[in-house]
């Protein structure tokens, strides 16, 4: 199979209220699949919404801030968990259509939250990728992932993997993913700013793969709406009210070819961005640049990836 139909769902999440967000995601993913998409990508933490207050609300990082604590509690209560039955409609859509769906979520493991980009696959368990290093203020919300969730899905048309946001500026993470031989890479962002677009295009060129740089559309009013759906909270609302401006994530999603050219470009509103990819371009590009092969120096550089889960506690018999 040399031709692949893909789509980026550039849409506003329903912040905090993850059950409602799943319903919206299923509806939009089904629309993309019915229009021919075999791979559908959503942006960073579409399920739960990007925690905009970390960057935009003055005082959010202050110790013991009541609004920050309230929002963290809501995220913990709402977050997806392993084998979460609320996610079954996404799995069923994959099973019935044969499509692959990549979507970001707040995930709870024990008492901690992770930024997880989940890949739903026909007839297979969800493939997780937990963000290795939460960026700057994000460390107030998310734990660090480990090497156990660095991987790709082998589809009939090739391999698909993902990295989240500033992981695209982690050279060794990129090298590890290039070694896995992605045909299509999902680059997840809260919004695709100019520098994020540059990082995504660089990844495509360096990895000789197609890249779906997926962004969100998110406004201050979306935070208020999601908060009310999640049960409301006065201190949380007060923190959100302190945010200046309205349109905070503006989309800008891009589909990029292995030579870094732009195949399709979204605007700033909600839309589903489609493209047909010619996967034969990958092999043609490898003739001049193969960073994991003839353009590498394994006699000089060596990378070891620890794939063991790091749970923190080992229970011995």
């Amino acid at each position: 199979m040399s031709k692949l139909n893909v789509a980026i769902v550039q849409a506003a999440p329903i912040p905090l209220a993850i059950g409602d967000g799943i319903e919206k995601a299923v509806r939009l993913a089904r629309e993309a699949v019915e229009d021919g998409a075999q791979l559908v990508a959503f942006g960073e933490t579409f399920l739960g919404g990007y925690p905009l207050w970390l960057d935009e609300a003055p005082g959010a990082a202050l110790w013991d801030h009541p609004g920050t604590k309230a929002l963290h509690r809501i995220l913990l209560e709402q977050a997806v968990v392993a084998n979460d039955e609320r996610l079954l409609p996404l799995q069923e859509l994959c099973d019935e259509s044969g499509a692959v769906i990549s979507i970001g979520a707040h995930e709870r493991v024990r008492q901690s939250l992770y930024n997880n980009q989940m890949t739903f696959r026909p007839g297979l368990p969800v493939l997780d990728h937990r963000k290795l290093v939460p960026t700057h203020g994000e460390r107030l919300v998310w734990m660090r992932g480990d090497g156990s969730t660095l991987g790709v899905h082998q589809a009939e048309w090739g391999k698909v993997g993902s990295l989240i946001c500033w992981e695209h500026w982690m050279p060794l993470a990129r090298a590890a993913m290039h070694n896995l031989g992605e045909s299509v890479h999902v680059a997840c962002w809260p919004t695709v700013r100019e520098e994020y677009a540059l990082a995504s295009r660089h990844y495509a060129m360096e990895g000789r793969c197609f890249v779906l740089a997926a962004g969100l559309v998110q406004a201050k009013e979306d935070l208020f709406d999601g908060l009310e759906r999640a049960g409301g909270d006065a201190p949380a609302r007060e923190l959100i009210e302190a945010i200046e401006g309205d349109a905070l994530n503006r989309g800008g999603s891009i589909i990029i070819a292995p030579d870094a050219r732009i195949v399709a470009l979204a605007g700033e509103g909600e839309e589903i961005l489609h493209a047909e990819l010619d996967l034969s371009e990958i092999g043609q590009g490898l003739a001049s640049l193969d960073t994991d092969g003839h353009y590498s120096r394994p006699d000089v550089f060596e990378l070891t990836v620890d794939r063991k889960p790091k749970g923190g506690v080992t229970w011995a018999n």
Side-chain angles (χ1 to χ4, degrees):
M1 182 185 296
S2 63
K3 298 296 175 67
L4 179 70
N5 289 301
V6 301
I8 295 174
V9 176
Q10 178 173 286
I14 299 177
L16 303 169
I18 286 181
D20 291 353
I22 292 170
E23 292 181 7
K24 181 172 183 176
V26 172
R27 174 173 55 81
L28 293 172
R30 184 176 297 278
E31 181 181 340
V33 168
E34 289 176 349
D35 285 339
Q38 298 157 278
L39 170 62
V40 181
F42 290 78
E44 183 175 2
T45 56
F46 182 85
L47 300 180
Y50 186 76
L52 286 164
W53 58 90
L54 297 174
D55 292 329
E56 304 291 346
L62 292 176
W63 182 260
D64 219 28
H65 193 292
T68 301
K69 291 194 299 182
L71 288 165
H72 194 85
R73 171 186 59 79
I74 293 169
L75 283 176
L76 278 170
E77 293 170 351
Q78 293 280 325
V80 302
V81 296
N83 303 312
D84 197 317
E85 292 186 356
R86 295 175 296 172
L87 296 170
L88 286 176
L90 281 168
Q91 184 63 55
E92 291 167 356
L93 177 57
C94 290
D95 293 343
E96 70 185 45
S97 67
V100 174
I101 300 172
S102 175
I103 188 166
H106 297 268
E107 178 197 23
R108 180 171 180 162
V109 179
R110 300 194 304 279
Q111 308 289 11
S112 297
L113 289 167
Y114 290 86
N115 179 340
N116 188 356
Q117 187 74 18
M118 304 179 294
T119 302
F120 288 84
R121 310 168 299 162
L124 291 170
V126 173
L127 183 68
D128 296 313
H129 172 61
R130 298 183 186 123
K131 193 172 189 178
L132 291 168
V133 182
T135 303
H136 198 52
E138 294 174 358
R139 295 165 202 174
L140 294 171
V141 175
W142 296 317
M143 275 278 288
R144 298 192 302 173
D146 58 40
S148 68
T149 66
L150 274 176
V152 295
H153 166 59
Q154 176 68 67
E156 61 178 357
W157 41 262
K159 295 178 181 178
V160 58
S162 63
L163 290 176
I164 305 169
C165 202
W166 281 35
E167 287 183 314
H168 292 88
W169 283 295
M170 298 175 67
L172 300 184
R174 297 200 312 269
M177 295 302 292
H178 298 334
N179 176 256
L180 294 174
E182 295 169 293
S183 301
V184 181
H185 174 79
V186 178
C188 321
W189 305 94
T191 190
V192 186
R193 303 172 182 166
E194 181 182 6
E195 63 269 33
Y196 298 175
L198 289 171
S200 301
R201 295 180 71 183
H202 175 270
Y203 191 100
M205 178 78 179
E206 181 182 75
R208 282 305 196 231
C209 59
F210 287 92
V211 170
L212 276 54
L216 307 175
V217 177
Q218 195 168 341
K220 184 175 177 178
E221 286 303 314
D222 296 323
L223 289 171
F224 287 128
D225 174 57
L227 178 63
E228 291 308 308
R229 291 171 183 253
D233 184 276
R237 185 174 185 86
E238 185 178 342
L239 179 64
I240 294 169
E241 285 173 345
I243 296 173
E244 295 183 1
D246 181 46
L248 303 168
N249 286 334
R250 299 176 178 273
S253 300
I254 315 174
I255 298 173
I256 307 158
D259 61 0
R261 79 180 189 280
I262 294 174
V263 176
L265 175 64
E268 292 190 350
E270 289 195 298
E271 65 176 285
I272 300 179
L273 185 68
H274 285 269
E276 183 181 73
L277 311 183
D278 182 357
L279 300 180
S280 70
E281 289 187 36
I282 296 170
Q284 297 175 45
L286 287 168
S288 57
L289 178 65
D290 178 4
T291 55
D292 187 59
H294 68 243
Y295 227 83
S296 68
R297 285 292 303 273
D299 55 325
V300 178
F301 306 109
E302 183 176 357
L303 172 61
T304 300
V305 180
D306 187 347
R307 297 292 304 278
K308 294 190 297 294
K310 299 292 192 284
V313 176
T314 300
W315 291 89
N317 291 332

